Amino acid sequence: MRGTGRAVLAGLMLVAMTGEAVAADTAKAFTAPIEGGTLHYEMIGGGDQPPLVLVNGGPGLDHRYFHGSPVWEGLSKRRPVVFYDQRGMGRTTSTIAVDRFTVDMMVADLEALRVRLGVPKIALLGHSWGGLLSMAYATRHPDHVSRLVLVGSGAPKIAAHEYLFDKLYPEIAARQVPDDSPAAKMGCKADSLEDYGRMAYYDQRNQPRLAAEDNSAFSQEVCTAVMLDAMKLDLFPRLHALHVPTLVINGRFDANVAPTVAYAISKAIPGATLDYFEHSGHQPFEEEPDRFELVVERFLDQ
């Protein structure tokens, strides 16, 4: 979830490329057929546990910012870890017009990936917008989800989302130029990369090295189309009936997703576990990688 301090619902355009990142050349690349296109996905590791599919933030981002964290290599020792590009992004192709993109279409793409993997169940780890998409998938295909991990997830209803940009960083928020365009109101217009980088992390020394060293791509068109559709959703009623083991993770100082959002999600899903990372912003898998890997590994092994 990204955008202005008033309305931010995208993933992260800025990603700290620190630590022992997952090397792109260690992942094996594959494709899966989707409606009107081809889905690109990559896989590392192996084992006998259900694949862990990483659902990246956005909408309108590719998966590559995940490669900045070392945790996926560790998690891949006992299960395949799968990265994929959502429709219209990265190397996933689509002949369907962008303005027709919907959340249901993104859910269908994720189901097509599961079918391609040839497994009855997948574990989902959704970050930011990817958390909202993962919840949408889990409520539609609960029998195909073994475990659900929501990291800095968007609220199940857009109107219920809360941000802390202006509260944690009032001096940065104050200098942002007001923008009433539709894209900005939906969090789909790129801000100052430097400002967003400063607000994304608990420790500003962990902020990314700006766009010059960030290889993720962002599409305002994809973001706008999907967000227009996402604003119609209210997943809360369906989450109350969801019986999938769920772990909700949030950075205590996440300006993009207030801790109250994570708390509400954990209360909406029966039996969900909530874990706050006390020294993290929006990306605990980068700011506290050792603890993040341990917590997720234990949850997946339960």
Side-chain angles (χ1 to χ4, degrees):
M1 303 170 146
R2 50 152 295 102
T4 67
R6 294 177 308 163
V8 183
L9 263 193
L12 291 179
M13 197 167 185
L14 296 176
V15 179
M17 305 306 289
T18 59
E20 188 180 344
V22 176
D25 56 4
T26 66
K28 297 180 180 179
F30 305 90
T31 60
I34 56 176
E35 180 186 1
T38 302
L39 185 142
H40 170 84
Y41 68 99
E42 300 169 8
M43 190 155 44
I44 61 174
D48 57 1
Q49 293 195 22
L52 175 63
V53 177
L54 307 184
V55 187
N56 62 265
L61 285 170
D62 60 27
H63 80 273
R64 288 178 293 176
Y65 73 80
F66 274 138
H67 290 312
S69 173
V71 303
W72 318 122
E73 289 282 4
L75 291 173
S76 72
K77 293 177 181 178
R78 301 186 60 188
R79 65 192 57 79
V81 173
V82 181
F83 310 83
Y84 82 100
D85 287 330
Q86 295 169 23
R87 181 178 291 266
M89 294 306 306
R91 289 195 272 177
T92 290
T93 63
S94 176
T95 59
I96 297 175
V98 171
D99 61 6
R100 292 176 53 201
F101 285 10
T102 65
V103 177
D104 282 346
M105 193 176 291
M106 298 291 190
V107 167
D109 292 345
L110 189 48
E111 172 63 0
L113 173 58
R114 182 199 65 81
V115 172
R116 189 66 163 185
L117 292 173
V119 293
K121 291 179 180 285
I122 54 177
L124 288 176
L125 188 150
H127 175 234
S128 198
W129 146 258
L132 177 58
L133 177 54
S134 296
M135 287 187 285
Y137 178 88
T139 57
R140 288 165 174 76
H141 302 283
D143 293 340
H144 295 321
V145 182
S146 62
R147 303 244 160 200
L148 183 61
V149 182
L150 304 171
V151 184
S153 174
K157 181 179 180 180
I158 301 299
H161 199 80
E162 297 180 70
Y163 312 95
L164 298 177
F165 290 107
D166 58 342
K167 295 177 176 62
L168 290 177
Y169 301 98
E171 78 285 9
I172 297 177
R175 66 171 176 255
Q176 293 184 328
V177 178
D179 189 341
D180 292 326
S181 67
K185 289 180 179 179
M186 288 182 291
C188 293
K189 191 169 183 179
D191 297 319
S192 163
L193 300 183
E194 182 176 1
D195 281 352
Y196 189 75
R198 288 176 180 173
M199 295 189 288
Y201 293 89
Y202 163 77
D203 187 341
Q204 291 192 14
R205 292 173 296 181
N206 291 332
Q207 77 177 88
R209 298 180 181 180
L210 310 182
E213 295 188 17
D214 177 21
N215 63 357
S216 296
F218 175 69
S219 169
Q220 179 174 309
E221 292 75 19
V222 171
C223 180
T224 302
V226 179
M227 282 302 301
L228 277 171
D229 186 62
M231 288 180 174
K232 306 172 187 175
L233 290 180
D234 180 1
L235 296 177
F236 276 113
R238 283 183 280 177
L239 290 178
H240 291 309
L242 181 65
H243 295 283
V244 171
T246 301
L247 170 64
V248 181
I249 291 174
N250 216 84
R252 179 69 73 179
F253 296 90
D254 189 344
N256 207 1
V257 181
T260 49
V261 175
Y263 183 80
I265 293 173
S266 72
K267 292 301 181 182
I269 302 175
T273 299
L274 174 63
D275 198 327
Y276 288 117
F277 279 61
E278 302 295 340
H279 302 285
S280 290
H282 195 49
Q283 300 183 147
F285 47 84
E286 288 186 335
E287 294 203 88
E288 298 181 72
D290 292 341
R291 180 167 181 262
F292 185 92
E293 182 179 332
L294 178 63
V295 168
V296 173
E297 182 70 71
R298 285 178 174 173
F299 173 71
L300 294 176
D301 283 346
Q302 288 176 2

